[in-house]
Amino acid sequence: MLNRRSLFPALLFVVIAACSSGEAAESAPAAPAAPGTTRETAVFAGGCFWSTEANFEHMPGVIAAVSGFTGGSVRAPTYDQVVRGGTGHVEAVQVTYDPARISYRQLVDAFWLTIDPTDPDGQFCDRGPSYATAVFATAAQKPIAEASRRAAAARLAPARFVTPVRDAARFWPAERHHQNFARLNPVRYAGYSRFCGREARLRRVWGSAAT
């Protein structure tokens, strides 16, 4: 299995090495919600959690996006454990949002456009089981997520649409230096994203609708 520790050539190492290193980057606290704001959560696995987090945290109505792991059997897994394999976890993001400003359906609809749902083996240059994609839904969320999935699959060749809706599982936040990575390390993140060819692939899959 490939992961971000071994993917990049030497010329890019300085730009993106923090992706798998212990180099600390201070994590800015999430902005507090206004008094009386209702909070709900949703969990999405979209490959590299840096990108999934960045895609959600700017959306109106999203209060916070936290990078972490879900879907596996190991308690409190570390990044190194997950990418090494065997834990069953995937990289994921827990999104806290205000349902009065953005609905769960809107979040799921937006999620599809940020991934390649036809890729069963990872996302972009991140390969292996820990980078698999999924929507992790509670019992109440699952019918909404499934309806969104059917609508998104109809826009592509449905047989090629492999990203599943899975049952919600315990979410474990990742280490501090992985939080808010794209915002706090824009140069490193831009180098990683360009190397992985994210934008070009999303345009090939979704055309002008790609996020």
Side-chain angles (χ1 to χ4, degrees):
M1 180 193 72
L2 295 178
N3 61 62
R4 294 192 295 273
R5 179 183 297 277
S6 59
L7 263 171
F8 308 110
L11 286 175
L12 288 173
F13 180 80
V14 174
V15 176
I16 56 181
C19 192
S20 60
S21 77
E23 181 179 344
E26 289 301 309
S27 176
T37 298
T38 301
R39 293 172 180 248
E40 294 185 8
T41 59
V43 176
F44 301 93
C48 172
F49 48 29
W50 293 350
S51 300
T52 308
E53 181 188 79
N55 289 329
F56 279 110
E57 65 184 1
H58 73 281
M59 293 183 184
V62 169
I63 298 166
V66 176
S67 290
F69 314 102
T70 194
S73 58
V74 174
R75 291 180 59 82
T78 66
Y79 174 82
D80 285 344
Q81 285 177 312
V82 172
V83 298
R84 192 162 52 239
T87 69
H89 289 286
V90 294
E91 291 195 12
V93 169
Q94 184 182 70
V95 178
T96 302
Y97 65 100
D98 177 0
R101 299 185 61 204
I102 189 168
S103 69
Y104 179 70
R105 174 64 186 259
Q106 287 174 307
L107 290 172
V108 183
D109 286 348
F111 170 69
W112 304 123
L113 302 179
T114 68
I115 65 169
D116 175 1
T118 70
D119 187 345
D121 300 317
Q123 286 291 286
F124 314 106
C125 64
D126 294 311
R127 317 307 299 165
S130 65
Y131 300 112
T133 56
V135 175
F136 286 85
T138 65
Q141 292 170 340
K142 202 161 191 178
I144 301 169
E146 293 282 13
S148 174
R149 185 187 187 281
R150 288 193 295 271
R155 300 175 61 173
L156 307 177
R160 296 174 54 231
F161 201 102
V162 297
T163 300
V165 174
R166 294 177 57 181
D167 291 337
R170 176 74 180 268
F171 177 85
W172 301 94
E175 294 89 337
R176 186 175 178 84
H177 60 273
H178 285 298
Q179 306 299 333
N180 303 306
F181 190 90
R183 178 162 53 83
L184 297 177
N185 303 274
V187 174
R188 287 178 179 152
Y189 179 73
Y192 155 74
S193 186
R194 282 195 300 272
F195 177 75
C196 279
R198 290 182 55 84
E199 291 185 13
R201 179 59 188 165
L202 289 174
R203 283 195 300 269
R204 286 197 294 273
V205 174
W206 294 107
S208 61
T211 302

